[in-house]
Protein backbone atom coordinates (compact mmCIF):
# COMPACT_ATOMS: atom_id res chain seq x y z
CA UNK A 1 0.00 0.00 0.00
CA UNK A 2 1.29 3.42 -0.93
CA UNK A 3 1.10 6.27 1.56
CA UNK A 4 1.68 9.98 0.95
CA UNK A 5 2.69 12.40 3.68
CA UNK A 6 2.46 16.12 3.02
CA UNK A 7 4.15 18.98 4.80
CA UNK A 8 4.78 22.69 4.39
CA UNK A 9 1.36 24.30 4.62
CA UNK A 10 0.61 27.25 6.84
CA UNK A 11 -0.40 30.88 7.08
CA UNK A 12 1.31 33.47 4.94
CA UNK A 13 0.65 37.05 3.91
CA UNK A 14 -0.27 37.93 0.35
CA UNK A 15 2.84 38.12 -1.79
CA UNK A 16 4.66 35.57 0.31
CA UNK A 17 5.89 32.09 -0.51
CA UNK A 18 5.39 28.55 0.73
CA UNK A 19 6.89 25.22 -0.30
CA UNK A 20 4.84 22.06 -0.03
CA UNK A 21 6.39 18.59 0.05
CA UNK A 22 4.83 15.17 -0.44
CA UNK A 23 6.81 12.04 0.32
CA UNK A 24 5.67 8.62 -0.83
CA UNK A 25 6.34 5.30 0.87
CA UNK A 26 5.34 1.72 0.24
CA UNK A 27 5.63 -0.74 -2.58
CA UNK A 28 6.45 1.60 -5.44
CA UNK A 29 7.99 0.34 -8.64
CA UNK A 30 7.45 3.51 -10.57
CA UNK A 31 5.36 6.66 -10.62
CA UNK A 32 3.83 7.88 -13.86
CA UNK A 33 2.37 11.17 -12.67
CA UNK A 34 2.58 13.27 -9.52
CA UNK A 35 0.35 16.24 -8.98
CA UNK A 36 -1.06 18.80 -6.57
CA UNK A 37 -4.76 19.53 -6.27
CA UNK A 38 -6.53 22.04 -4.06
CA UNK A 39 -9.99 22.49 -2.66
CA UNK A 40 -11.29 25.78 -1.35
CA UNK A 41 -14.37 25.97 0.91
CA UNK A 42 -17.53 25.44 -1.10
CA UNK A 43 -15.64 24.60 -4.27
CA UNK A 44 -14.69 21.42 -6.10
CA UNK A 45 -11.21 19.99 -5.93
CA UNK A 46 -9.14 21.30 -8.84
CA UNK A 47 -5.82 20.43 -10.41
CA UNK A 48 -3.06 22.90 -9.58
CA UNK A 49 -0.02 21.34 -11.26
CA UNK A 50 1.27 17.99 -12.45
CA UNK A 51 4.60 16.45 -13.42
CA UNK A 52 5.24 13.25 -15.32
CA UNK A 53 8.00 10.70 -14.78
CA UNK A 54 9.79 12.30 -17.72
CA UNK A 55 9.60 15.74 -16.16
CA UNK A 56 6.86 17.31 -18.27
CA UNK A 57 4.85 19.82 -16.27
CA UNK A 58 1.38 21.27 -16.52
CA UNK A 59 -0.13 24.17 -14.58
CA UNK A 60 -3.61 25.54 -14.06
CA UNK A 61 -4.00 29.00 -15.55
CA UNK A 62 -4.46 30.80 -12.18
CA UNK A 63 -1.05 29.65 -10.93
CA UNK A 64 1.05 29.84 -14.08
CA UNK A 65 4.18 31.88 -13.52
CA UNK A 66 3.76 31.78 -9.72
CA UNK A 67 3.89 28.07 -8.79
CA UNK A 68 6.58 25.54 -9.66
CA UNK A 69 6.19 21.77 -9.36
CA UNK A 70 9.28 19.58 -9.11
CA UNK A 71 10.35 16.12 -7.95
CA UNK A 72 13.40 14.57 -6.36
CA UNK A 73 15.92 12.30 -8.07
CA UNK A 74 14.35 9.21 -6.53
CA UNK A 75 11.16 10.39 -8.22
CA UNK A 76 8.96 9.61 -5.26
CA UNK A 77 8.77 13.03 -3.60
CA UNK A 78 6.98 15.94 -5.20
CA UNK A 79 7.27 19.60 -4.28
CA UNK A 80 5.21 22.68 -4.96
CA UNK A 81 6.90 26.05 -4.63
CA UNK A 82 4.27 28.75 -4.38
CA UNK A 83 5.39 32.34 -4.91
CA UNK A 84 3.43 35.59 -5.03
CA UNK A 85 0.61 33.98 -3.10
CA UNK A 86 -2.84 35.53 -3.27
CA UNK A 87 -5.81 35.22 -0.89
CA UNK A 88 -7.60 33.22 -3.57
CA UNK A 89 -4.91 30.54 -3.25
CA UNK A 90 -6.30 29.71 0.18
CA UNK A 91 -7.35 26.05 0.16
CA UNK A 92 -6.49 22.59 1.33
CA UNK A 93 -3.75 21.24 -0.94
CA UNK A 94 -3.61 17.51 -1.72
CA UNK A 95 -0.82 15.61 -3.41
CA UNK A 96 -1.56 12.80 -5.84
CA UNK A 97 0.53 9.95 -7.18
CA UNK A 98 -0.35 7.54 -9.99
CA UNK A 99 2.01 4.65 -10.47
CA UNK A 100 2.74 0.93 -10.27
CA UNK A 101 3.71 -1.30 -7.40
CA UNK A 102 6.25 -4.12 -7.45
CA UNK A 103 3.49 -6.63 -8.18
CA UNK A 104 2.73 -4.54 -11.29
CA UNK A 105 -0.56 -3.31 -9.94
CA UNK A 106 -1.58 0.21 -10.78
CA UNK A 107 -2.23 2.52 -7.84
CA UNK A 108 -3.60 5.96 -7.17
CA UNK A 109 -2.75 7.57 -3.87
CA UNK A 110 -3.78 10.82 -2.21
CA UNK A 111 -2.19 12.74 0.62
CA UNK A 112 -4.14 13.75 3.71
CA UNK A 113 -4.18 17.41 2.71
CA UNK A 114 -2.38 20.44 4.07
CA UNK A 115 -3.98 23.81 4.75
CA UNK A 116 -2.64 26.88 2.99
CA UNK A 117 -4.07 30.20 4.14
CA UNK A 118 -3.10 33.48 2.51
CA UNK A 119 -4.08 36.64 4.35
CA UNK A 120 -4.65 39.96 2.60
Amino acid sequence: QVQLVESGGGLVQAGGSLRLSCAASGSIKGIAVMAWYRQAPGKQRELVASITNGGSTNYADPVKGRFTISKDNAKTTVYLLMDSLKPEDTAIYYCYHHGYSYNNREFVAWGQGTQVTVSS
Side-chain angles (χ1 to χ4, degrees):
Q1 187 173 357
V2 175
Q3 293 185 326
L4 305 182
V5 178
E6 302 165 6
S7 60
L11 173 65
V12 64
Q13 288 188 331
S17 299
L18 282 175
R19 186 181 187 232
L20 306 182
S21 299
C22 175
S25 63
S27 175
I28 300 172
K29 182 178 182 179
I31 297 177
V33 178
M34 294 185 281
W36 289 94
Y37 286 74
R38 68 185 181 186
Q39 187 167 19
K43 294 187 177 181
Q44 289 188 330
R45 189 174 297 189
E46 62 178 4
L47 176 67
V48 176
S50 64
I51 185 167
T52 67
N53 182 53
S56 297
T57 58
N58 180 55
Y59 295 91
D61 286 342
V63 308
K64 283 181 179 177
R66 300 189 297 121
F67 290 11
T68 304
I69 189 170
S70 61
K71 55 184 174 66
D72 69 349
N73 289 334
K75 301 179 182 180
T76 59
T77 298
V78 64
Y79 306 96
L80 186 68
L81 176 61
M82 304 183 292
D83 293 320
S84 303
L85 282 161
K86 304 175 180 180
E88 51 264 44
D89 294 319
T90 295
I92 299 174
Y93 284 71
Y94 299 89
C95 65
Y96 162 97
H97 282 43
H98 170 215
Y100 297 87
S101 60
Y102 281 107
N103 60 6
N104 292 321
R105 287 187 177 180
E106 186 176 5
F107 73 83
V108 170
W110 290 90
Q112 79 282 4
T114 185
Q115 178 70 47
V116 171
T117 303
V118 184
S119 63
S120 58

